[in-house]
Amino acid sequence: MTTESLPVRTDSPARTSPQKTAAGRGGRRLLRQRAGRQHHAGPLAYVLLAITAILSIFPLYWTMVAASTDNTRVSQTPPPFLPGPNLFDNLARAWDEAAMGKAMINSTIVAGTIALSTVFFATLAGFAFAKLRFKGRNVLLMLVIGTMMVPPQLGVVPLFMMMSELGWSQQLPAVIFPTLVSAVGVFFMRQYLSEALPDELVEAGRVDGAHSLRIFWSIVLPIARPAMAVLFMITFVHAWNDFFWPFVVLDMTNPTVPVALTQLSAGYIRDQSLIMAGALLGTLPLLAMFIVFGRQIVSGIMQGAVKG
C-alpha cells in the first residue's frame, strides 16, 4: 500500500489547531485590551466636577474669609470675598475666650471612644445578624432598625435622670456611654457583610474547629476593614459635631467643641468674625484627619469594591 492511498483526515488537529490557537489568542488579546482601556471623561464631566468641588469648598472658604476680618466688615453688603488681615488675631481670641484647648481634648476623647466602640460592636452585631443562625434573629434586627425611627429628643429626660443617678452629670462618660453603638452602624455592617463575606469561609472556619469569636477575629475583621474605615470616619465626624446631648449634660467648665462655641455667641452683640474663627478652629482637626487618613480610607473602599 502506497502513501498516496492513505486517507487524509481534514479535521486533524495538526492542520486546524494553529488557526484556532491564533484566533483564540487574538480574541483574548482583544479582551485584555478592552478590559485595560480607560474611559476618558468628557468636558461636561469636568465641568460638573468643578462645580461640585467649588460648592463643597465654598463654605470652608467663606468661614476663613469671615474669620479673617472684623465684625463690621462681615456685616457689610456686599460681604467680603477675599481674606482679611485679622485671621490669627481672631483665632487667638477664640482660643482663649472659648477654652478651645480643653474642648478639643474632650472632643477627641469623646469622638474617638464613640467611633472605636461603634465600629467594634456594630461589626460584631452585623456579623451575627448576617451570618449566624439563631432564634429571634429577624425580630431582634427589626427592633434594632425600629430604634432608628425614634427621635432622640424623646429620651433626653430619662437619660439625663439616669446619668444623674450614676453621678456622671457634667462629665464625659455621660456623653460617651449612651452612644457606644448605633443602630445605623449595625445595619450598615450587616448589609456589607451579607454581600462581602462568603458563607463558604464561615463554614470552612467551622470545619477547622474555630468558634464564632475566632472566625470573627481571623476572617470577618480583615474582610470588613473597608466598611469599618468608612463607619469610623462617619461616626467620628458625627460625634465631634454633636451638640444637643453634650449641651444638655455638660457645662462650660468641661465642654466639647460645639458646646464651647456657644460661649462665643453669649454676648448681647454677636461678633460674627469671632464665631467663625472658633468654627474654623473646630473644623481644622477634622480636615487634618481626613488629609492624613483619607488616602487609606479611599483605597480601602476601592479594595472592598473590587473584592465584592
Side-chain angles (χ1 to χ4, degrees), residues 116-138:
L116 290 175
S117 64
T118 299
V119 168
F120 177 76
F121 289 120
T123 306
L124 191 62
F127 166 62
F129 284 126
K131 296 301 177 181
L132 300 184
R133 301 293 181 263
F134 53 92
K135 293 183 179 180
R137 182 184 65 167
N138 295 331

Side-chain angles (χ1 to χ4, degrees), residues 2-24:
T2 62
T3 58
E4 296 179 355
S5 62
L6 291 176
V8 179
R9 296 179 60 183
T10 57
D11 57 344
S12 174
R15 299 183 59 183
T16 58
S17 59
Q19 298 177 355
K20 293 182 178 180
T21 303

Side-chain angles (χ1 to χ4, degrees), residues 113-166:
T113 305
I114 292 175
L116 290 175
S117 64
T118 299
V119 168
F120 177 76
F121 289 120
T123 306
L124 191 62
F127 166 62
F129 284 126
K131 296 301 177 181
L132 300 184
R133 301 293 181 263
F134 53 92
K135 293 183 179 180
R137 182 184 65 167
N138 295 331
V139 176
L140 290 176
L141 181 60
M142 290 298 104
L143 289 176
V144 171
I145 297 176
T147 59
M148 299 166 56
M149 306 176 186
V150 180
Q153 291 80 5
L154 295 179
V156 169
V157 174
L159 190 58
F160 183 81
M161 295 174 61
M162 184 184 301
M163 295 299 107
S164 298
E165 290 293 332
L166 293 174

